[in-house]
Amino acid sequence: MAQHEHGVRLSPPTWLTAGLRPRPAPVPWAAVARASVALSAPLAVGLAAGRPAYGALVSMGALSGVIGDTADAYRMRFFNIAVPQLFGAVGVTLGTLVYGRDWTAVAVLTLVALVSGMISSIGSVASVSGLLLLLNAVVGAGLPMPRPWWTAPLLLTAGGAVVLLLTLFGWPLRGGVPERAAVAASYRSVAAFVRAAGTPEHDERRQDVTQSLNASYDLLLAHRTRRHGRSPGLTRLIARLNALIPIVEAASAAKLRPARLGPLPEAWPAAVLALADGIEDGVEDGPRTDEPLPLDLPAPTGPSERALERALRYAAAVAAEPDKAHAADPDRLGRPAAPWVRTRRAARAALLSGASWRYGLRLALCIGLAQVVVSVLPVPRSYWVALTVTFVLKPDFGSVFSRAVLRALGTAGGLLLAVPVLAEVPRGWWDVPTVAVLAALIPAFSAKGYAFQTAAITPVILLLSDLLNHQGFGLVLPRLYDSLIGCGIALVAGYLCWPESWHTRIGDRLADTVADASAYVALAFAGGPGHDRPARPVRRRRLYRDLSAVRSEFQRALTEPPPTGPRAAAWWPLVIAVERVVEATTATRVRVEHGEPAPPPEEVAAIAADLTALAGALRTGTPLPRPDGDAAARPTNTGTTGSAGTTGSAGTTGSAAAPDVLGPLRSEVRAACAIASPVLG
């Protein structure tokens, strides 16, 4: 590594180079084969029919399907591919109608960009749909399309249909396998969480559990409303996943076991792994039995282990009779609303959201500027400028700044691949094997990072577009200039001109999560052990999902240049502290339900008030008030059952103090407030 003579590092900053390091990911061989066939076969058919431009358009539609095929469950893959293709057909139709009409194209593409930006905030499928709506509109307005007007949308949609058919070929053999594998993976992540109880790895394993549960519930619940009651296998898997929640809660409580007892015996995580093996082997698809899976569990030594034993035996009973368990507890975490209800709510939220309008206006401004530049400057067929702006300004894809840099570097790398192809490969049948090889690189490189994905997609688009405009090697340098112009527009008009780009949103999102944590504390200890029990897991899962979103925002902010990146890094300890507060609440609730005394309501209210004050301070940026002397001087209870340094109640001199069941939770709340104070200044 290059260094200055005084020892100062001269290497590029981490926020700039993070995206250039390839992510460790296995090669998705099935997706590689699918992409190769889906893009090369239509081209071969078009050449055989004497219509190479038609084949190129079908391959372009297939390229969109390949990029959007990111789900595991087959029904989700159907929606992820089919719905965006419809929006893409609308986009290319609008673009084709304004081709060659410079200022009309500016107005239409600006309006399309506004709509695309607003619908992108609804969800993942809507985000891809908005992307294809705008991308295809830009391509239709920048490239000559076959006539009549309906030919291009029909051919592009056919390309998406090719990918969809290739994807669904495995449904009869692998239907339900991704869902079963996801649930089994969640059980295994929980087994590791149980094993890590009371060890330094506890927090890291908890984060793994959160991510795994998020993925499993997304996979099982996303499109199941219409299928509910008509898919027994899916219903049983949901019952098995719901049965995992009490095990997670009990594992959180196990963190508070006395240190003198040591780690949990291996029999506890082994029992969870046995349940995971049953799921992965497809036991839930076999005949139902009244006999639960036999579990060899040690005798419980405290409330945490009693909770764990009860949760494991319940999960084993669900494995034996998931249908009855599901009927008794149909949706522990809440069934999603009907698709049309969710669509209506999402559309209303997008129309009324200030963030949605701001992003839509930002994207519209940049696309409008890109089209104006294309109309004013003598840049031939420079649809690539607006194309670059669209990819760079996707907010759910990461930092605008880093994506602009990575887009420029990725395009340069892709052009290096395209140079020998466009210069040496003869047009015609040689294009088919060339596209087959280049298309295979797209799924393989996409798993490595955005710059690598860009480098793989660039030569494919150049080769296909060459079949439409016949510019050959003359495409290379103009596309590089177009990419640099597009990145410049995105950086200036989409980043520097918007002050909100310079500030991280972690504090605002974290404030909302802390306020929800306050409500969760109040709910957890309200009305006794059985009060409103179904609502607690729902609130807890929502909290952890929100914290996952905060983590994603944190990772995005770290790729921003100073001062945004360093400011974001200061929030990280507080994110961890809030996660620990939520877990301590759950752990304390579980221990109360299995033998610990219920805490006084006034102490619960005081902790909730502390969290509410913390949320208010995070929103306003004002420092927290110093704790009063009574709170700071609360004496430590040496008779506590926890291992986290709990505190006891005052006024017990001369006799054994009552266990301070809220001690661990109070300690975590104080730690969160102490961490927040320097951040708030």
Side-chain angles (χ1 to χ4, degrees):
M1 180 180 295
Q3 291 189 342
H4 190 270
E5 60 180 354
H6 295 295
V8 179
R9 288 174 43 176
L10 298 179
S11 58
T14 303
W15 58 266
L16 185 59
T17 60
L20 297 177
R21 291 191 293 268
R23 291 194 295 261
V27 176
W29 292 110
V32 166
R34 191 161 48 246
S36 182
V37 173
L39 269 73
S40 61
L43 196 56
V45 173
L47 288 169
R51 299 274 187 162
Y54 282 19
L57 280 174
V58 176
S59 294
M60 279 189 174
L63 175 62
S64 300
V66 167
I67 296 173
D69 184 19
T70 56
D72 292 321
Y74 282 95
R75 60 186 181 280
M76 290 182 67
R77 296 170 80 174
F78 177 85
F79 280 93
N80 282 7
I81 297 173
V83 174
Q85 289 295 325
L86 297 178
F87 281 84
V90 173
V92 77
T93 301
L94 294 174
T96 302
L97 293 176
V98 299
Y99 173 74
R101 303 177 182 180
D102 290 344
W103 296 107
T104 303
V106 171
V108 170
L109 290 182
T110 301
L111 181 60
V112 170
L114 175 63
V115 175
S116 170
M118 294 189 68
I119 67 176
S120 293
S121 64
I122 294 176
S124 58
V125 175
S127 177
V128 178
S129 300
L131 176 66
L132 282 190
L133 172 68
L134 182 55
L135 286 181
N136 285 2
V138 169
V139 171
L143 287 174
M145 294 292 169
R147 300 293 175 179
W149 63 268
W150 46 263
T151 306
L154 183 63
L155 292 173
L156 286 171
T157 304
V162 170
V163 177
L164 189 59
L165 288 175
L166 291 174
T167 298
L168 298 181
F169 277 154
W171 197 337
L173 298 177
R174 298 190 74 253
V177 172
E179 292 92 333
R180 195 162 60 239
V183 176
S186 293
Y187 269 78
R188 289 198 168 90
S189 68
V190 172
F193 184 44
V194 172
R195 185 177 289 112
T199 72
E201 295 183 357
H202 179 88
D203 287 345
E204 184 178 351
R205 298 287 80 81
R206 183 192 64 238
Q207 294 158 18
D208 294 342
V209 168
T210 299
Q211 295 174 0
S212 181
L213 286 175
N214 286 346
S216 295
Y217 274 108
D218 286 344
L219 205 61
L220 295 179
L221 301 183
H223 301 293
R224 77 178 182 86
T225 305
R226 297 283 295 182
R227 294 164 55 88
H228 187 72
R230 288 183 281 171
S231 177
L234 185 61
T235 300
R236 292 164 189 158
L237 278 175
I238 293 169
R240 300 289 292 269
L241 191 58
N242 286 341
L244 190 55
I245 302 303
I247 302 177
V248 175
E249 295 177 343
S252 295
K255 178 184 178 181
L256 303 182
R257 295 172 72 245
R260 57 182 173 79
L261 296 178
L264 282 171
E266 181 60 26
W268 298 106
V272 185
L273 288 175
L275 294 171
D277 292 339
I279 294 172
E280 196 157 51
D281 293 341
V283 171
E284 76 280 354
D285 294 329
R288 309 272 64 80
T289 173
D290 292 334
E291 293 297 329
L293 179 72
L295 298 176
D296 184 16
L297 300 176
T301 59
S304 300
E305 292 185 32
R306 285 196 293 271
L308 193 55
E309 180 190 37
R310 180 176 176 182
L312 282 167
R313 298 203 183 281
Y314 172 73
V318 170
E321 286 192 287
D323 298 331
K324 289 185 179 180
H326 194 78
D329 187 11
D331 249 324
R332 187 178 179 88
L333 298 189
R335 185 195 301 185
W340 57 87
V341 175
R342 283 180 283 162
T343 301
R344 186 173 66 249
R345 290 174 182 171
R348 186 187 304 119
L351 288 173
L352 299 179
S353 168
S356 173
W357 276 99
R358 284 194 299 273
Y359 171 61
L361 291 171
R362 183 192 303 194
L363 183 58
L365 171 64
C366 292
I367 291 294
L369 285 175
Q371 289 302 118
V372 169
V373 168
V374 169
S375 301
V376 172
L377 297 180
V379 184
R381 310 239 185 250
S382 51
Y383 65 94
W384 203 274
V385 176
L387 214 64
T388 300
V389 169
T390 303
F391 276 115
V392 170
L393 278 181
K394 285 295 291 178
D396 48 340
F397 284 175
S399 162
V400 169
F401 186 93
S402 63
R403 284 177 67 83
V405 175
L406 295 177
R407 176 76 184 181
L409 295 175
T411 300
L415 290 175
L416 290 177
L417 289 175
V419 165
V421 173
L422 294 174
E424 302 297 334
V425 176
R427 297 284 73 83
W429 283 100
W430 280 104
D431 288 332
V432 176
T434 303
V435 168
V437 172
L438 293 176
L441 298 178
I442 296 175
F445 279 28
S446 295
K448 302 299 181 182
Y450 176 66
F452 300 93
Q453 181 190 52
T454 301
I457 292 175
T458 296
V460 175
I461 295 181
L462 286 175
L463 185 57
L464 294 177
S465 61
D466 182 48
L467 294 173
L468 296 173
N469 57 24
H470 308 290
Q471 285 186 294
F473 186 76
L475 279 171
V476 176
L477 286 180
R479 292 299 80 87
L480 178 59
Y481 300 151
D482 292 344
S483 293
L484 295 178
I485 293 171
C487 290
I489 291 173
L491 283 176
V492 175
Y495 182 81
L496 296 177
C497 292
W498 298 79
E500 67 180 38
S501 302
W502 314 338
H503 304 288
T504 175
R505 294 173 292 176
I506 296 176
D508 294 335
R509 292 191 174 184
L510 198 53
D512 294 338
T513 304
V514 172
D516 290 341
S518 175
Y520 177 54
V521 169
L523 176 66
F525 302 103
H531 177 76
D532 207 12
R533 181 167 184 160
R536 290 200 296 269
V538 176
R539 182 66 66 95
R540 178 179 175 274
R541 287 293 309 134
R542 187 181 302 148
L543 274 170
Y544 276 120
R545 187 176 288 274
D546 290 345
L547 284 166
S548 292
V550 172
R551 282 177 171 270
S552 299
E553 177 68 20
F554 173 80
Q555 295 296 334
R556 185 200 68 80
L558 285 182
T559 62
E560 298 281 7
T564 303
R567 287 175 180 170
W571 289 104
W572 182 243
L574 185 56
V575 175
I576 300 296
V578 174
E579 289 180 344
R580 293 172 66 94
V581 167
V582 175
E583 186 183 36
T585 304
T586 300
T588 304
R589 176 70 259 176
V590 169
R591 294 176 70 85
V592 167
E593 290 181 339
H594 291 83
E596 292 282 349
E602 59 272 13
E603 293 193 18
V604 174
I607 292 176
D610 288 343
L611 289 172
T612 300
L614 176 58
L618 292 173
R619 288 195 182 96
T620 60
T622 57
L624 285 166
R626 291 183 177 275
D628 58 55
D630 292 339
R634 185 184 296 270
T636 300
N637 176 13
T638 58
T640 180
T641 58
S643 61
T646 61
T647 55
S649 302
T652 57
T653 304
S655 63
D660 181 15
V661 69
L662 289 179
L665 174 57
R666 190 182 296 108
S667 296
E668 297 295 355
V669 172
R670 288 178 180 169
C673 293
I675 291 171
S677 295
V679 179
L680 295 171

